[in-house]
């Protein structure tokens, strides 16, 4: 029997908002948050898929729009911090960190699977 490991949340709180570690799947068939995943190195990431292709920053734009809509913040409040050409990205979201964290927790728990 395998013991379940408690998942660490893939976001960090700050006074201005929250920063989120993402694993993005471009051309994923739909725009959606797919829950939390543990990477092989032990880090946790929020899995996100978008319909857009990874060409000319289209997938990055789609990710930012999806997160803004899912978290109920303006698009201008969501910024890509790192990972412009990688599936692994860091995104900052400005707003109330407690509300953002609770919303992310609800989104992730509704979708996470083991």
């Amino acid at each position: 029997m395998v013991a379940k490991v408690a998942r660490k949340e893939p976001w960090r709180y700050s006074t201005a908002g929250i920063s989120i570690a993402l694993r993005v799947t471009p051309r994923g068939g739909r725009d959606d948050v797919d829950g939390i995943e543990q990477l092989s190195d032990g880090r946790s990431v929020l899995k996100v898929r978008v319909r857009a292709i990874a060409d000319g920053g289209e997938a990055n734009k789609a990710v930012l729009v999806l997160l803004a809509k899912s978290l109920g913040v303006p698009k201008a409040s969501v910024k890509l911090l790192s990972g412009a050409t990688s599936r692994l990205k860091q995104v900052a979201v400005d707003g109330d960190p407690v509300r953002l964290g609770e919303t992310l927790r609800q989104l992730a728990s509704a979708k996470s699977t083991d």
Side-chain angles (χ1 to χ4, degrees), residues 2-109:
V2 177
K4 283 190 178 183
V5 176
R7 289 187 228 235
K8 195 180 94 183
E9 294 176 336
W11 51 85
R12 292 189 313 256
Y13 298 91
S14 72
T15 54
I18 204 164
S19 84
I20 311 166
L22 302 175
R23 182 178 185 282
V24 177
T25 303
R27 290 178 46 187
R30 66 184 189 278
D31 295 344
D32 203 2
V33 175
D34 284 343
I36 296 174
E37 176 180 57
Q38 188 106 18
L39 299 178
S40 60
D41 64 4
R43 291 182 296 162
S44 293
V45 292
L46 186 68
K47 295 190 312 181
V48 176
R49 66 174 57 222
V50 292
R51 286 187 291 256
I53 61 172
D55 184 36
E58 291 303 312
N60 289 337
K61 289 178 200 161
V63 167
L64 299 180
V65 169
L66 171 64
L67 287 174
K69 183 178 176 186
S70 298
L71 295 172
V73 297
K75 287 184 269 186
S77 295
V78 184
K79 297 172 206 66
L80 182 64
L81 297 176
S82 65
T85 59
S86 169
R87 284 180 181 254
L88 298 176
K89 303 181 184 304
Q90 282 286 333
V91 172
V93 183
D94 295 336
D96 175 20
V98 174
R99 187 189 68 75
L100 292 170
E102 184 56 38
T103 304
L104 280 168
R105 206 171 290 112
Q106 291 171 358
L107 281 169
S109 66

